[in-house]
Amino acid sequence: MASHRYVIRMCKIVFLGALLLAGIWRGPNVVWAQSAAAAGQIVGQVLDPSAGSVAGAEVTVRNTNTNHTRTATTDGEGRYAIPELPLGPYEVSVKASGFAADMQDAYVSLGASVSSNFRLLVQPTTETTEVVAADAPGIEPTRSATKSILTDLQIHELPSEGRRLQNFVVDTPQALIEPECRGFSISGQKGIYSNIAIDGGDYDSTWGCGIRARSESGPAFSLGAIQELQVVRNTFSAEFGRSTGGVIQLSTKSGTNSLHGTAFELNRDGALSEPDAFGHQAISSDNQFGGSLGGPIIKNRTFFFTAPEFQIANKPVQVLYGLTPATSVTTGATDLLAAAPQGTFNAVSNAQAVITRIDHQLTQNNQLFGRFDFARTLQTNSPGADNLSTGLGIATTSTAAASNQITQPDTNYTLLGQLTSTLSSSHLNELRIQFSREIRPRIPLGTGPQVSITNIATYGTPPAGSWGNEGFASTDNRYQLVDNFSIVSGAHTTKFGVDYQRIAGTALYDQNAGGAYTFNNLTDFANHTPDLYTQFTGTGSVSLTIHEIAGYIQDEWRILPGVTINPGFRYEAQLNPNYYQATNPAGRYPEATFIPDDIRMLAPRLGVAWDVGNAGKTVIRAGGGLYYAPTYMSMFAQSVLFNGGNPDRAYSVSITGQPAIISAFQSVGVNLATSPLNNLPTFTPSEFAALLANPNTKGLNSASYIGPDFRNPDALQWQVSGEHEIARGVTVSENFTYINTNGIARERDTNLPAPVPSSSLAYNASTCPYCGIPGLNLYNQSPRPDPAFGVATITESADHSLYRGFTTTLNVRRSHFTWDLYYTRSWNFTDEDAERGFTSIRYDDVSNLNSEYAHSNIDEPNQFWSNGVYEFPLGFEAGFSTRFTSGRPFNAVTGVDENGDGQNTDRPIINGVLIPRNAYRNYGFKDIDLRVQKSFALPNEKGTIAISAEFFNLANFANVQLAGAQLTYGLGEQYVGTTNPVLVNVGPQPTFGQLRNAQGQFIQTNTAGDPFQAQLGLRFQF
């Protein structure tokens, strides 16, 4: 299978590479490039009155904000291109001997290829055509990739609850927030497979998911500094990489020759909010304030821009355990409430973000800009953050006690500098350097080990012994160097360059948060008989370094009038950290020998754009290629720490089954039966060592390691689309996207014995309660192959996903309003739903992995978005956004480890058939937001003051999602009775899939969406 996959990949590379070379080597002046990471370009053709080409014409572009100018000369066909232009309004003028001069106005947006064509006149007259940002043509005839742009107007005038970046990303097609760690998923890909860049500098988090300094409930980047946001969904150019899904690009504002500034205050109060669907207060207060200031330091040469922003917010969260009227009177419930009382605690979300940018023209041909970011977020007591939430992103109820919460401060510093040098009219170089540092301490608010009662309650300190939990602190330093060189001729814009990143990260487990108990039910809890116990010991420290190296070449070749091809090729390599030198070689898992690098990432790409009729009204686009996503640093840390060879750093045990856990504690003189439930014991370092040395408890230690054939995930993508301008500034388009991703990371236990069919064994209520069940394999009938270890988890590149989607788009850009409408019909299938691929084993049966291929847990078959901004007379404005999506799948589980493999991931078996993964769907999501504003001009043109009101979830949709016990199906087929047991289907449980109880009330262990909330604002602008 591996060799077959390799042959297919090489055939694709050869085929696309041949197309690429056909474009690159057509002639000596061939050049190629596509839209830049922090800029755009102006291209066009100059013709005479009879439509003949005008060669040698001088084309000059001037940024009307800064007076920065660039020139180009048309080729023999009258064509020209001016790349790497800073964003903003431009005056485009042309002069040619024997013809009258002409001029147009154009607006360069992020990544745009703006067409500015001329038909020169012989007589000395001047014709001016205006193309301004709010009334820009909707068609880019030379662009082959699929993208969506939110302009400055939309970013600042659309309703935005919380002013978070994720609010705007999900306003673009095929984008959503994944549920595990709430990263940005684009075109059905994992959130960690998306790439985020600001002004061309990588802004991905090393240990977290998504953007650096990200918080689910607060802004991590000042929105006042963002000029445009662009989401390139697929088949992006070879200049960009490190993603199989899409690239999120943001450009920041720069100062101009005029001094401008803003100040704003936004306030949301509980008194202006409805209770949520459970009747709970949704928010106490959310106060956001900040501003911006930009202007000249030296006119026409040096400019500054700065934008600080702050948030102070909190809301009450009520602890409600999953107790029913029947279970609330049991001994177990009484013991639970005594050990960890229910109550209400305050969830806090504060944020500070300051962005400062300096632009300086060193010489006429050398422009320099630098940007410094500082962001700090503080999030405390934030359980159950709802990925579909539009507000603080914090649920109003939680089954986790206050002692299970943590303080999550996050501080990020970023320094970026870029030098753009115009070496000649046809040669341009762009050098970019960035340094980022992120600090993420994690401070637990409770004491003692974590105690979980399945689907009922959790209390105690979150454990650090399973990577991906909250109980670990981390820091990282990122160093990035990018150099891009462009060569321009009339028909070609060629770009090639290098991109290097050094990522150095450290993480520290908290030894005081090293234990975790799991009880299957309240009866087991009352009897002090846990079903699973995990713990680690050691310093818990790890330091890792990853090197990411890339080189590319990209061409934009206007091969025929109206036809542009965009061939490209990118090479990527990732040099990974390796295991530490073993301090206990005998204790290292035998397969943990080395961590491979990935140096075979070859990525040819090809795009085509056909301007039908060469009129800029209808464009057909197509493209395809290979794309790669980098491997998350935490994936390596899991194996570097927990391979068994460095017990001084970390050693992990996982004990499954009540007798084994009780025996393990008894072996070191601890009696669980008499231990207090509010402070259950953990193994001290000396007890831990004695446990591992005891022959009777040997094999409890777990191990993790990276597979020897591990590689980064790769995706074959292709897309085809059509776009048509039905009126000036009004375009419609249809797009089909196909993404087949392979090599997705998966965890698998390699230390399991051969399975024994349950149906071949006789049922016994006490010794074999899951025997005799057709379709079930049992793994606890024989010892593990390597008796020195328990669970041995390999991280391997073994899973795949397939995304297919149609997106229909309507975009309206007029001088007084904008309107975007998107509808996506998609199908998303995967083998596994683990976002990060290393947090836990997810499959039902290791011998039947084919049964795991099913709908992804982020599969939303129907997605509808719409947003618009309208400017009315007398200073009134209105903006709205709507979002309606289908429900996402969820996985029905039994809630117990039926097959005895040590994993509580079993699915029910009905009539001898395993229920498919993600066979059920949750409820959909609905949201309508509205913003209205009235502006007042101050006397003597001193500026304007605007008063605004925003209404979130205007229709007060409940948006209740199934959660907790409502996702547990319970046992499928099971023997019942003692004298003559009978095999019957005992599921599903009464609460499975239920939003409401028998009295018609919402079950409060589900998750409620944000209710209607109102926000008042005041803004001053000059």
Side-chain angles (χ1 to χ4, degrees), residues 844 892-901 903-908:
D844 171 86
V893 295
T894 64
V896 298
D897 180 18
E898 274 193 284
N899 64 13
D901 64 354
Q903 310 297 328
N904 199 359
T905 55
D906 300 42
R907 300 197 298 273

Side-chain angles (χ1 to χ4, degrees), residues 72 161 187 263 274 314 362 391 408 468 487 503 506 512 542 570 583 585 607 609 654 829-830 861 870 901 909 922 964:
E161 188 172 5
S187 299
E274 291 288 332
N314 64 90
L362 294 171
Q408 303 178 57
I487 309 173
I503 307 169
T506 64
N512 296 319
V542 61
R570 183 179 178 92
T583 55
S654 179
F829 291 84
T830 64
Y870 295 80
D901 64 354
I909 294 175
N922 220 315

Side-chain angles (χ1 to χ4, degrees), residues 737-1006:
T737 297
Y738 173 97
I739 303 179
N740 190 345
T741 306
N742 290 287
I744 298 173
R746 175 184 68 198
E747 285 195 327
R748 178 171 59 89
D749 187 354
T750 59
N751 195 31
L752 283 172
V756 176
S758 171
S759 58
S760 67
L761 302 173
Y763 166 76
N764 185 292
S766 58
T767 61
C768 198
Y770 303 122
C771 288
I773 301 176
L776 177 66
N777 287 325
L778 297 178
Y779 291 89
N780 55 3
Q781 302 301 302
S782 303
R784 290 183 177 269
D786 190 338
F789 292 88
V791 176
T793 304
I794 183 176
T795 300
E796 56 187 352
S797 303
D799 284 344
H800 81 287
S801 68
L802 177 61
Y803 176 86
R804 292 158 294 174
F806 290 92
T807 296
T808 303
T809 302
L810 171 67
N811 297 122
V812 179
R813 297 289 185 271
R814 290 293 177 86
S815 58
H816 296 293
F817 69 91
T818 70
W819 182 33
D820 293 337
L821 183 149
Y822 311 105
Y823 170 72
T824 294
R825 178 67 174 98
S826 63
W827 300 263
N828 193 12
F829 291 84
T830 64
D831 288 315
E832 187 179 272
D833 291 328
E835 168 66 19
R836 292 170 286 183
F838 57 88
T839 51
S840 63
I841 287 173
R842 303 294 180 94
Y843 55 74
D844 171 86
D845 185 346
V846 72
S847 299
N848 187 21
L849 294 176
N850 288 335
S851 68
E852 300 300 307
Y853 187 70
H855 288 285
S856 166
N857 69 335
I858 54 175
D859 177 51
E860 292 181 353
N862 298 282
Q863 300 170 313
F864 173 84
W865 307 260
S866 182
N867 66 72
V869 177
Y870 295 80
E871 295 180 356
F872 297 99
L874 303 178
F876 286 96
E877 291 183 8
F880 74 92
S881 65
T882 62
R883 183 157 56 108
F884 298 87
T885 68
S886 300
R888 299 179 182 180
F890 69 89
N891 200 30
V893 295
T894 64
V896 298
D897 180 18
E898 274 193 284
N899 64 13
D901 64 354
Q903 310 297 328
N904 199 359
T905 55
D906 300 42
R907 300 197 298 273
I909 294 175
I910 309 296
N911 298 324
V913 179
L914 180 69
I915 290 182
R917 187 175 66 85
N918 288 342
Y920 299 87
R921 282 195 179 267
N922 220 315
Y923 291 83
F925 178 77
K926 297 173 287 187
D927 183 51
I928 301 174
D929 298 337
L930 176 67
R931 182 181 188 273
V932 293
Q933 176 177 293
K934 174 67 171 77
S935 298
F936 302 89
L938 297 177
N940 302 318
E941 298 183 347
K942 296 296 184 180
T944 60
I945 291 179
I947 300 173
S948 64
E950 294 177 80
F951 308 99
F952 308 114
N953 193 3
L954 188 65
N956 200 26
F957 296 116
N959 284 325
V960 178
Q961 298 284 301
L962 297 171
Q966 286 67 247
L967 303 180
T968 301
Y969 184 97
L971 294 172
E973 289 185 317
Q974 178 63 41
Y975 279 96
V976 297
T978 54
T979 305
N980 295 301
V982 179
L983 186 66
V984 298
N985 178 24
V986 299
Q989 296 182 145
T991 57
F992 176 72
Q994 299 300 307
L995 286 181
R996 301 175 184 269
N997 58 23
Q999 291 73 41
Q1001 302 166 328
F1002 282 115
I1003 300 173
Q1004 299 206 7
T1005 51
N1006 287 315

Side-chain angles (χ1 to χ4, degrees), residues 528-825:
H528 295 224
T529 51
D531 298 273
L532 175 66
Y533 180 77
T534 60
Q535 185 182 337
F536 94 99
T537 188
T539 64
S541 65
V542 61
S543 297
L544 305 175
T545 300
I546 294 174
H547 300 271
E548 295 178 349
I549 305 165
Y552 76 93
I553 184 169
Q554 178 70 49
D555 187 32
E556 181 181 281
W557 178 16
R558 294 176 291 282
I559 186 172
L560 293 171
V563 179
T564 302
I565 67 170
N566 295 286
F569 185 85
R570 183 179 178 92
Y571 169 76
E572 294 182 4
Q574 179 168 323
L575 308 182
N576 296 321
N578 211 336
Y579 301 111
Y580 288 112
Q581 184 72 32
T583 55
N584 178 24
R588 175 164 285 174
Y589 193 70
E591 301 300 321
T593 55
F594 72 99
I595 298 177
D597 299 324
D598 195 342
I599 58 174
R600 296 185 295 165
M601 291 183 281
L602 306 176
R605 301 169 189 181
L606 179 65
V608 179
W610 175 30
D611 181 2
V612 180
N614 201 23
K617 298 296 183 180
T618 303
V619 177
I620 305 299
R621 301 184 176 96
L626 289 177
Y627 298 80
Y628 296 85
T631 296
Y632 200 51
M633 182 172 279
S634 295
M635 194 172 298
F636 299 120
Q638 170 94 349
S639 294
V640 169
L641 275 177
F642 293 103
N643 61 74
N646 300 95
D648 52 318
R649 291 184 179 273
Y651 217 68
S652 176
V653 297
S654 179
I655 314 173
T656 304
Q658 298 174 2
I661 298 171
I662 293 170
S663 175
F665 277 99
Q666 286 178 341
S667 71
V668 295
V670 176
N671 186 357
L672 280 181
T674 59
S675 299
L677 289 171
N678 63 348
N679 190 24
L680 287 170
T682 60
F683 296 113
T684 65
S686 60
E687 291 172 342
F688 208 97
L691 180 73
L692 297 176
N694 188 336
N696 294 324
T697 55
K698 188 177 181 180
L700 297 180
N701 53 307
S702 301
S704 296
Y705 65 101
I706 300 291
D709 299 319
F710 184 84
R711 292 195 62 194
N712 287 356
D714 63 88
L716 172 65
Q717 299 186 11
W718 62 270
Q719 64 89 19
V720 61
S721 64
E723 185 176 15
H724 177 64
E725 186 177 58
I726 58 178
R728 180 163 181 80
V730 181
T731 64
V732 293
S733 66
E734 184 68 30
N735 166 267
F736 175 74
T737 297
Y738 173 97
I739 303 179
N740 190 345
T741 306
N742 290 287
I744 298 173
R746 175 184 68 198
E747 285 195 327
R748 178 171 59 89
D749 187 354
T750 59
N751 195 31
L752 283 172
V756 176
S758 171
S759 58
S760 67
L761 302 173
Y763 166 76
N764 185 292
S766 58
T767 61
C768 198
Y770 303 122
C771 288
I773 301 176
L776 177 66
N777 287 325
L778 297 178
Y779 291 89
N780 55 3
Q781 302 301 302
S782 303
R784 290 183 177 269
D786 190 338
F789 292 88
V791 176
T793 304
I794 183 176
T795 300
E796 56 187 352
S797 303
D799 284 344
H800 81 287
S801 68
L802 177 61
Y803 176 86
R804 292 158 294 174
F806 290 92
T807 296
T808 303
T809 302
L810 171 67
N811 297 122
V812 179
R813 297 289 185 271
R814 290 293 177 86
S815 58
H816 296 293
F817 69 91
T818 70
W819 182 33
D820 293 337
L821 183 149
Y822 311 105
Y823 170 72
T824 294
R825 178 67 174 98

Side-chain angles (χ1 to χ4, degrees), residues 196 202-214 410 438 440 476 478 503 632-633:
I196 303 169
D202 192 295
Y203 224 77
D204 287 314
S205 177
T206 297
W207 299 103
C209 298
I211 193 169
R212 304 175 66 81
R214 179 185 60 91
D410 196 321
E438 186 173 15
R440 303 173 67 239
D476 74 85
R478 280 184 177 242
I503 307 169
Y632 200 51
M633 182 172 279

